[in-house]
Amino acid sequence: MYTSLYEFFTFLPFLVCLIWCATLGMNLKRNGRPGLLLLIFALVCSCLYLCHAVHFSMTWNGTAQWAQWLYPGCNLAVYPLFYLYIKSLTGKEVIGKWTPMLLLPALVVIVAGAFTVRSESAFGIVRNVTAVIFIPLVAYVAVSGFRRLNSYRAEGRLLSPIVAMLALLVVTSVASAAANIIGRDSFRGSILLAVPSTLFSTLLYFIFYFGDQCKYSYRDFEKDIEAGPRTAENQPITPEDVLFGRICSLMEEKKIYLR
């Protein structure tokens, strides 16, 4: 009974990610390009937490080398992928000039890990490099993501769920860093693993929940602009339309920004 309960909590974050991969895959047509990037993000998270589960599992006993060398690379890939998701929601350009540089550390770490995993000393260097890169990478994604979301306001329909997602992702990274400081292996074989497992599973669930709820992107905003203002013939005038008209009058006719 104890072993079964421990294994359940070991694989719980991975199962949450896997369920959301299936859900996002079914909603892919509805969510468009942002939905595809969110699905890729969910797949990498699934890989990350599968490696994490294998490390803690009593069945595997942390002996699977593929999990050891994939884990650091996936850990560095999830935050850049989330930033690409934010870019897909807030602008036309997703893959910019410097964007591939954000994913380069993850690719280098995965390749380096595959060649050094058999040598504890060499692979230790790879883990140390990953730890050094991780903090500034998370900080960059958090700051850049909040800036993009703050500069783009699509009538208030975009900011709330994605800001919540980004905040939850930062909280997850802080919790992960705290767990690493305590020592991952200190939870191995202990039912205390249920505490971080439940915490990360809850955070992951709401990250993907808010992402799936966000159905309004930059492309939808452009379509609304191209469609032109609403008229009495096709759609009723709402309080939001009246407010928008007053704001346009203040800015375009009275030019209050010059005062």
Side-chain angles (χ1 to χ4, degrees), residues 112-128:
F115 284 103
T116 61
V117 70
R118 296 180 183 274
S119 171
E120 183 60 32
S121 59
F123 191 66
I125 296 174
V126 174
R127 284 198 297 260
N128 291 335

Side-chain angles (χ1 to χ4, degrees), residues 18 32 64 133 160 196 258:
L18 198 61
I133 297 173
S160 297
L258 295 178

